[in-house]
Amino acid sequence: MGIVGLFAYWTVVLIAPFALIVIWSAILAVALFPIFEALSRLIGNRPVIAAAIIVVFCLVLIIAPLALVAVNFADTAQVLIDKLRTGNFTLPSAPAAIREWPVVGERIHDAWNKIAGDLAATIVKFQAPIREVTGVIVTKLALIGGGVLSFVVSIILSGVLLTRSARLAATIQVLASRIAGEKGVGFARLAGATVRNVSRGVIGVAFLQALLCGLCFTLFGVPAGGPLTFLVFALCLMQLGPALILLPVIVWAWFSWPTWIALAFTVVAIPIMIVDNILKPILMARGLSTPMPVILIGVIGGTLSQGLLGLFLGPVVLGVFYELLKAWAWPSGSTGSENSRPARFDAQSERIEHPQ
C-alpha cells in the first residue's frame, strides 16, 4: 500500500500542471459529443473528420473575437500614442447638461474642465498611481493571454478525446462500477448530463447574447465594438448579463446620435438584455436543473481562483457536485414525494416520526 501510495503521489505531481487543461478538455468533449455524433453520421461515420471540423470551428469562435479585440485595442492605442507624441491629445469640455445634475453636477463639471484644460499637468501629478494601475493591467492581460492559450490547447485535446469517445466512455463506466457499483455508473451518466445542460444554459446563452451584441454594435457603428462584445461575453458568463454594457451605451447613444437612430438602437438592445431570462430556464430544464445560485458561485469562484479557464470550469464543477450530492442524498430521484422525505423530529414527543 505504501508503494502504491508513493506512485500515486508522484503521478499527481507529474500531471498537476496539465490537470486543468485535461479537465476542461473532458468537459468540452462531453458537451460537444451530441454535435460530434450527429456530424459523424452526417458525413458517413468519419469520426476523425467530424472531430477536426468541430475543433476548427471552436478555434475560429475563440480566435476571431479575440483577434477583433486585439485589433481594436491596437488601433486605439496607436491613435492615442500619435496624439501624445504630437501634443494634440486633448479632452473635450464638459457638457453643460452636467451642471444640472443634483448634488455632484457642479463639482463634476468643474473637475472635468480643469483636467481637460491642463491634461499634461494632471498626468504628471498622478503619474505614480497611473504607473501602478498600468502594471496591474499588464499583469492581468498576461494572465488572460495564458488562459486563452490553455483554452486553445484544451479545444485541440477535446478533439482527440472525441475520436476515442466510445472507448473512453466504456473505461469510465468500468472505473465507476469498480468504485461504487451500479450507483457509480449512474453518477457518471449524471455528470455527463449536467455538463451538457450547464454548457447549453450558461455558455451557449452567453455566446448567443455576445453574438447578438456584436452584430448590433457593428450595425449601428458603435465605437470599440470588439472590446465591448468581449466584455458582454464575460459578463454573461458571470451571470451579470449584458445590461452593464448596453445601458451605458444606450445612454451615450441618446446624447450622441439622432433621436430616431438612438430609438432604433434601444429597441434592438432591450430584447438582447432579457433574452437570457427566457432561454436559460428552457435549456436548463432539459434534463437536470442546476439552480442559478450554484452556477453564479461557481462562475465567481472559478474566475477568482483559476482565471479565464475557471470562468468555464467553476459552474460545471459546482453543477456536477450539486447534482451528485442531490442524487446521493435522495437516491430514489423524487425529492418531493412522500416516500423520499427525510425523517422528521417531533420536539413535543421527543421521538422520530417517519413519513410512513
Side-chain angles (χ1 to χ4, degrees):
M1 291 297 295
I3 294 174
V4 172
L6 180 61
F7 274 98
Y9 171 76
W10 278 346
T11 302
V12 171
V13 171
L14 290 174
I15 67 174
F18 313 100
L20 288 178
I21 295 177
V22 173
I23 293 173
W24 184 225
S25 301
I27 290 171
L28 279 175
V30 172
L32 296 173
F33 179 76
I35 301 175
F36 164 77
E37 194 175 26
L39 183 60
S40 180
R41 287 198 303 264
L42 183 64
I43 61 178
N45 293 323
R46 294 182 173 89
V48 176
I49 297 177
I53 293 174
I54 291 176
V55 168
V56 171
F57 182 73
C58 291
L59 290 177
V60 169
L61 289 180
I62 295 299
I63 295 174
L66 290 177
L68 181 61
V69 171
V71 170
N72 285 339
F73 272 124
D75 292 341
T76 304
Q78 185 62 41
V79 173
L80 179 61
I81 291 172
D82 292 339
K83 289 184 176 181
L84 289 174
R85 185 177 299 169
T86 58
N88 295 328
F89 182 75
T90 57
L91 293 178
S93 300
I98 295 181
R99 287 182 176 272
E100 301 177 2
W101 292 1
V103 183
V104 297
E106 189 71 26
R107 296 180 181 178
I108 294 178
H109 185 274
D110 295 341
W112 186 331
N113 286 333
K114 183 177 180 181
I115 294 175
D118 194 359
L119 183 60
T122 303
I123 294 176
V124 172
K125 181 179 179 181
F126 295 99
Q127 59 179 340
I130 292 175
R131 191 183 302 114
E132 294 179 1
V133 172
T134 304
V136 173
I137 292 175
V138 171
T139 303
K140 295 298 182 182
L141 289 176
L143 291 176
I144 292 175
V148 171
L149 181 60
S150 300
F151 189 53
V152 170
V153 175
S154 299
I155 291 175
I156 297 174
L157 183 57
S158 69
V160 178
L161 297 180
L162 285 174
T163 60
R164 302 289 186 268
S165 56
R167 183 178 299 178
L168 290 174
T171 302
I172 291 173
Q173 288 193 6
V174 170
L175 293 176
S177 178
R178 291 283 294 173
I179 293 173
E182 290 297 324
K183 189 175 294 185
V185 176
F187 282 172
R189 293 173 180 171
L190 185 64
T194 305
V195 168
R196 283 189 285 270
N197 281 336
V198 172
S199 300
R200 287 194 300 258
V202 178
I203 301 175
V205 174
F207 176 76
L208 176 62
Q209 285 186 292
L211 178 62
L212 293 176
C213 286
L215 293 175
C216 181
F217 294 154
T218 303
L219 178 63
F220 287 91
V222 176
L228 291 178
T229 302
F230 182 78
L231 291 176
V232 166
F233 184 56
L235 290 174
C236 290
L237 286 174
M238 296 172 64
Q239 304 302 297
L240 299 177
L244 294 177
I245 301 296
L246 288 179
L247 287 179
V249 174
I250 289 175
V251 174
W252 171 83
W254 281 95
F255 280 100
S256 304
W257 292 344
T259 303
W260 68 275
I261 298 180
L263 179 61
F265 178 78
T266 304
V267 170
V268 174
I270 289 178
I272 297 176
M273 286 191 290
I274 63 176
V275 68
D276 60 330
N277 297 322
I278 301 174
L279 291 179
K280 279 181 183 177
I282 297 175
L283 295 176
M284 296 296 291
R286 296 180 61 184
L288 304 174
S289 56
T290 303
M292 286 301 164
V294 175
I295 297 174
L296 180 61
I297 293 173
V299 167
I300 297 175
T303 305
L304 294 177
S305 60
Q306 302 296 336
L308 181 62
L309 193 60
L311 193 67
F312 301 92
L313 190 61
V316 174
V317 171
L318 272 191
V320 170
F321 177 73
Y322 172 84
E323 295 295 341
L324 292 177
L325 184 61
K326 188 171 68 173
W328 172 77
W330 295 280
S332 62
S334 55
T335 59
S337 64
E338 287 292 325
N339 294 330
S340 64
R341 289 185 308 182
R344 179 173 58 88
F345 180 75
D346 191 341
Q348 295 180 354
S349 59
E350 296 184 357
R351 60 189 176 89
I352 299 293
E353 290 184 357
H354 293 279
Q356 298 177 351

